[in-house]
Amino acid sequence: MRVRKGVFPAAGLGTRFLPVTKAQPKEMLPLIDKPTIQYVVEEAVASGLAEIIIVTGRGKRAIEDHFDTAFELEYFLQDRGKMEELAQIKTISELASVSYVRQKEPLGLGHAILCARTLVGDEPFGVFLGDDIIGGANTPCMKQLLDVFDRHQGPVIAVERVPLDRAVGVVARRGDGRRGGSPRYPIPPRGGAHAAGRPAAAQLPVRGSPLRR
């Protein structure tokens, strides 16, 4: 089954980045000339996902406004002849079909993903956690994961090797040597591989059925 939907948990309070996140979502913090969440949405689109589901919370309205059409701004730019800037703004609102769902309480990552179950349905889907911007490869990270999913029709997770003092959630192979692993907290194993900037659920193409449990 083809993966068409991507879930973006973005309801966290951003306490690690205080005080800058007191009034601004951490997902909207700029990296050069774009907010971090835009890089991750662009990765999803480049990987072939057509539907973006962003799980937001209180104080996250700026995310919705960013991916929405800005009629007044577009009119202003066109009136001033700023056509290059106008094209950039229109590209953002036309990136993909974006839907939003609220996580009303900060009950963790798993609950945030669960909030998207009515929009995901029974389809397999990808999960994007935007703590890291993963780039530098000819093939986007999620596209690589989807290719593996297509071959094995089972969950797959992106990991990276890190020093032990950076490991928070880690992934270990099963003792029998089969594919698979499980996140463990908080003590890392001696070989340090953790979810690549996406603790415990990095860009995880997984069948929708677990969301019904």
Side-chain angles (χ1 to χ4, degrees):
M1 185 181 294
R2 179 172 173 264
V3 179
R4 302 183 306 114
K5 299 179 180 179
V7 176
F8 293 68
L13 298 176
T15 54
R16 288 178 296 171
F17 294 95
L18 286 170
V20 70
T21 53
K22 181 176 181 288
Q24 174 174 282
K26 71 173 183 178
E27 296 82 9
M28 293 300 296
L29 294 178
L31 182 59
I32 307 178
D33 59 350
K34 292 188 284 190
T36 55
I37 193 170
Q38 183 175 332
Y39 287 95
V40 188
V41 171
E42 288 173 346
E43 178 189 338
V45 173
S47 299
L49 301 186
E51 297 183 37
I52 306 301
I53 302 166
I54 301 179
V55 182
T56 66
R58 184 177 176 84
K60 301 284 186 163
R61 181 62 184 269
I63 298 175
E64 300 182 31
D65 290 341
H66 181 70
F67 291 105
D68 198 3
T69 301
F71 293 106
E72 299 86 352
L73 179 57
E74 291 180 11
Y75 177 83
F76 175 84
L77 294 173
Q78 185 164 349
D79 187 59
R80 296 297 191 276
K82 297 179 178 292
M83 306 312 293
E84 182 177 348
E85 291 85 350
L86 177 61
Q88 291 176 342
I89 294 301
K90 285 189 172 182
T91 297
I92 296 172
S93 60
E94 297 170 357
L95 266 176
S97 172
V98 184
S99 303
Y100 301 90
V101 61
R102 280 283 187 117
Q103 183 185 26
K104 297 181 179 180
E105 298 178 71
L107 297 179
L109 175 61
H111 179 264
I113 298 172
L114 190 66
C115 290
R117 62 181 173 180
T118 55
L119 295 177
V120 170
D122 291 331
E123 298 184 38
F125 62 100
V127 174
F128 293 77
L129 306 187
D131 296 84
D132 275 356
I133 306 302
I134 303 176
N138 293 329
T139 302
C141 179
M142 176 53 80
K143 182 61 170 67
Q144 297 178 49
L145 293 173
L146 295 179
D147 290 343
V148 175
F149 175 81
D150 288 340
R151 290 197 301 271
H152 299 287
Q153 291 296 299
V156 56
I157 186 170
V159 298
E160 67 174 338
R161 292 193 177 277
V162 296
L164 291 182
D165 59 1
R166 279 188 54 204
V168 179
V170 298
V171 178
R173 287 184 63 87
R174 290 174 177 163
D176 58 8
R178 292 181 297 162
R179 289 189 308 272
S182 59
R184 301 179 184 179
Y185 296 90
I187 302 173
R190 280 192 284 273
H194 81 162
R198 292 151 169 81
Q203 297 184 334
L204 179 62
V206 61
R207 296 202 173 276
S209 54
L211 292 181
R212 297 199 303 269
R213 296 175 185 170

